[in-house]
Amino acid sequence: MRDTFNLRPIIELLLVTLILQIGVFSFIFSDGWVPQVSVLFVLFLGFYQPSVLSAISVFALGVLVDMSAGSMLGPSSASLLVTHLLVGYSSKRLFLESPIAAVIFGAGCAALAGAVRYVLLSQFVPHDFLIPLLKESFTTALCAPIMLIIFRARLGRKKGI
Amino acid sequence: MARSRALDGSSSRSFVLACLVLIFISLCLIAYSARNPEVTEIGARAAQEVSSPIQESISSSVDFFSSLMGKYQALVEAREQNESLKNRIAVLETENSRLREFEVENKRLAELLHFSENQKLNGIAARVIGHDAVNWVESVIVDAGLANGVKRGMPAVDGSGGVVGRIVSVTSGAAQVLLITDRSSGVDVLLQDSRARGILRGADKNLCELSFVDSEAQVAVGDRVITSGMDGIYPKGLTIGVVSAAEKDPRGMFQKVQITPQVQFKRLEEVLVIANPQIEVPKP
């Protein structure tokens, strides 16, 4: 099957994801309640366009997220890639159309990515992770239906689907 | 309806391989940045350069709306404070009015006391608490009675020394004062300048008239009228009022003289009941 990965809208959505998560939501929300829009982007990409280039995009997104947080590079990219791999591999068995499905998968992916990140970071800086994980999974799940609609609207449904 | 693009065999393997390689690279990045912390600082500064303008614009928008809300709240608080202050002003104005009333009353009582001491009178101060209930008699009720030493027949004056009337009935705590403006009242008086005598009686419209004034007597408007002391009720020398009109009857023996009392009976609030009316009041 031809790879119909469309790079330009992916890059646009990647930047929008970063701006939303780092610039907007981090200002509005606080104390661990920031929704992980990057996870939703990874979920969307893994579900609709899993490919080598999408994996590279996810890696780049993870590095940028780590840079903006000022922490060590790598944990976010690793956690997002693990999530992307699982979603991409099982995408043909999943349906992401309904809002309820978006909420459930959004919460699940946020929990998975958060858990992987905390496991990697706890090797260097031990800290409590259960409560923050639950907080960000909750807010990410709430944002999932709206963000997936935005992603779908931008990427269109004609190419490669 | 949208569906995921299912991975076929070769692309699936490429995808999984790419993910695994990139995960490995990420782990290497973790190890490298753990050993070289300056790398994270460079990244953080770069990210901040990009995100700070966005955050600044959001922050200024939030500040704008916050200040709007703050101003609105300040207006609401100012309004509430305004209402509270208005209520307080009303309370203070009422209290101020009461205090001024006390001040004026204090001044009147001081005048009474001063008059009593100056004239060497044995006076009993009393407050006017009512008027005659049936309006047939020109009288007032005062709050001093037998318990205070007030007796029937005692004269009463006001703070300026003007004659009010005499006690006509008394109970243990109150007494009735018949005013000189009542028709049944009679006071033996003198015209201060001409020394002409007459009997003062009440007339209409809170005035008095002088009877039995000799037609030959010199009476002029403005002449001062005082008590003569001859009736045994009022001490000699107390001020009644002034002559406001005098009319000679060419055929009669007496003049018709109208007197305007010194006391303003409609504004009377306190009186001094004289317990020793036999003394003579010196001329002012």
Side-chain angles (χ1 to χ4, degrees):
Chain A
M1 186 184 257
R2 282 183 59 190
D3 186 357
T4 55
F5 188 87
N6 198 341
L7 189 61
R8 190 171 157 228
I10 295 292
I11 293 175
E12 287 173 5
L13 285 176
L14 194 145
L15 291 172
V16 167
T17 301
L18 269 175
I19 290 169
L20 277 175
Q21 182 161 332
I22 300 164
V24 178
F25 289 153
S26 63
F27 186 81
I28 298 170
F29 299 90
S30 62
D31 196 27
W33 291 100
V34 181
Q36 299 299 303
V37 185
S38 54
V39 170
L40 296 175
F41 180 70
V42 165
L43 166 65
F44 174 80
L45 218 55
F47 188 79
Y48 286 110
Q49 289 190 334
S51 65
V52 173
L53 289 177
S54 71
I56 294 171
S57 303
V58 169
F59 173 78
L61 177 62
V63 170
L64 289 170
V65 170
D66 283 331
M67 281 171 65
S68 68
S71 63
M72 61 177 62
L73 303 178
S76 291
S77 51
S79 62
L80 291 175
L81 280 165
V82 167
T83 308
H84 188 58
L85 176 61
L86 281 173
V87 171
Y89 194 75
S90 53
S91 61
K92 62 184 177 183
R93 300 177 187 81
L94 303 175
F95 292 95
L96 199 60
E97 305 311 316
S98 69
I100 295 175
V103 168
I104 293 170
F105 286 123
C109 288
L112 173 64
V116 171
R117 188 172 69 245
Y118 281 117
V119 165
L120 291 171
L121 281 174
S122 63
Q123 307 302 318
F124 305 95
V125 184
H127 56 276
D128 179 37
F129 82 100
L130 183 61
I131 300 298
L133 188 67
L134 289 173
K135 286 180 183 177
E136 64 184 32
S137 300
F138 176 74
T139 50
T140 306
L142 289 179
C143 295
I146 299 169
M147 292 310 304
L148 291 178
I149 288 171
I150 294 171
F151 294 150
R152 263 191 237 124
R154 181 60 192 95
L155 278 180
R157 303 311 322 131
K158 294 178 183 172
K159 287 192 177 179
I161 303 298
Chain B
M1 192 158 132
R3 286 281 185 268
S4 68
R5 184 175 68 88
L7 290 167
D8 55 13
S10 62
S11 61
S12 175
R13 282 194 293 274
S14 307
F15 170 70
V16 171
L17 188 63
C19 286
L20 290 173
V21 166
L22 289 168
I23 288 171
F24 177 74
I25 294 171
S26 300
L27 294 173
C28 293
L29 262 179
I30 293 172
Y32 179 76
S33 58
R35 288 197 181 91
N36 301 282
E38 63 275 8
V39 173
T40 59
E41 287 172 16
I42 294 168
R45 275 203 296 272
Q48 196 170 9
E49 285 292 329
V50 173
S51 67
S52 60
I54 300 165
Q55 287 181 333
E56 272 173 25
S57 60
I58 294 171
S59 173
S60 62
S61 302
V62 169
D63 285 345
F64 172 71
F65 285 109
S66 292
S67 77
L68 267 181
M69 282 301 297
K71 283 174 185 169
Y72 173 74
Q73 198 163 353
L75 273 174
V76 170
E77 284 175 3
R79 187 182 166 187
E80 285 172 2
Q81 193 180 31
N82 191 26
E83 289 297 322
S84 168
L85 287 171
K86 277 184 185 174
N87 291 338
R88 181 140 173 78
I89 286 172
V91 167
L92 287 172
E93 279 179 345
T94 304
E95 195 177 330
N96 190 33
S97 174
R98 274 181 54 241
L99 289 172
R100 285 166 96 177
E101 187 60 26
F102 287 146
E103 186 185 14
V104 170
E105 186 184 10
N106 188 41
K107 193 176 169 188
R108 287 199 304 271
L109 291 172
E111 277 180 6
L112 266 179
L113 180 64
H114 179 72
F115 173 77
S116 175
E117 286 176 350
N118 274 359
Q119 308 301 333
K120 295 184 177 49
L121 296 171
N122 183 13
I124 303 162
R127 191 173 280 116
V128 175
I129 57 175
H131 296 265
D132 182 70
V134 295
N135 290 327
W136 289 348
V137 178
E138 297 286 332
S139 67
V140 295
I141 311 297
V142 296
D143 65 352
L146 290 168
N148 305 98
V150 174
K151 291 180 186 167
R152 204 161 164 270
M154 283 181 176
V157 297
D158 72 351
S160 63
V163 174
V164 173
R166 62 185 171 91
I167 305 293
V168 292
S169 70
V170 60
T171 62
S172 62
Q176 185 181 17
V177 180
L178 185 71
L179 303 179
I180 59 173
T181 51
D182 187 82
R183 288 190 176 275
S184 63
S185 167
V187 185
D188 198 306
V189 300
L190 283 175
L191 291 167
Q192 191 167 47
D193 292 335
S194 63
R195 314 305 290 179
R197 276 182 65 187
I199 302 296
L200 185 87
R201 294 197 185 278
D204 296 328
K205 299 176 187 175
N206 283 321
L207 294 172
C208 300
E209 60 186 21
L210 212 50
S211 305
F212 308 118
V213 177
D214 195 88
S215 61
E216 301 297 324
Q218 297 297 316
V219 179
V221 171
D223 280 352
R224 195 158 166 263
V225 181
I226 59 173
T227 54
S228 67
M230 297 293 186
D231 51 15
I233 297 173
Y234 298 93
K236 184 179 180 182
L238 290 177
T239 304
I240 294 287
V242 294
V243 174
S244 53
E247 188 184 326
K248 285 191 180 181
D249 184 359
R251 291 172 301 192
M253 291 171 57
F254 304 110
Q255 299 184 58
K256 282 177 78 173
V257 182
Q258 190 181 69
I259 308 296
T260 300
Q262 176 173 290
V263 174
Q264 295 186 7
F265 294 99
K266 290 194 185 304
R267 296 184 193 175
L268 195 61
E269 295 187 50
E270 291 91 18
V271 300
L272 187 72
V273 178
I274 300 172
N276 54 340
Q278 290 76 25
I279 69 164
E280 179 174 331
V281 174
K283 285 183 185 177

